[in-house]
Amino acid sequence: MKASLLSFGAGLVVGVVYSLLGVRSPAPPVVALIGLLGILLGEQIVPVGRQMIAGTSIRAAWQQMRCGQHVFGAMPGRHAEASAATRIATAGELRS
């Protein structure tokens, strides 16, 4: 949530600067969002491709590289599960 608010705030500041300079944003919002989606998916091509060349299926490669979490962010509920698992692992390390 913090990253989303910071991103929104940065976008708001850029919008104000554009307005003060009297320029329009370089792309309509939908086009910009589609471009961002392309960037996120494009970042996954090389690591997933390497896994597939090594003989892994595309589904397994996608999961191994955690592409879904990178593209879509931490999904609700999963973040809490990961945090609990991390706390348990950390507590076990402290006892050792």
Side-chain angles (χ1 to χ4, degrees):
M1 182 68 164
K2 184 177 179 181
S4 297
L5 290 174
L6 289 173
S7 179
F8 179 75
L12 200 60
V13 169
V14 169
V16 169
V17 170
Y18 277 7
S19 179
L20 292 173
L21 294 174
V23 297
R24 301 278 300 159
S25 63
V30 172
V31 174
L33 290 175
I34 292 170
L36 288 174
L37 178 61
I39 290 169
L40 286 171
L41 293 175
E43 287 178 337
Q44 306 311 309
I45 289 173
V46 173
V48 169
R50 286 182 181 157
Q51 292 289 323
M52 290 176 63
I53 289 170
T56 307
S57 71
I58 189 166
R59 183 180 177 130
W62 181 270
Q63 289 175 346
Q64 285 176 347
M65 301 312 297
R66 298 182 183 184
C67 297
Q69 186 173 0
H70 179 75
V71 173
F72 300 112
M75 301 304 280
R78 293 184 182 204
H79 181 67
E81 292 171 14
S83 296
T86 303
R87 283 193 301 264
I88 292 168
T90 305
E93 290 172 3
L94 292 175
R95 290 183 188 143
S96 297

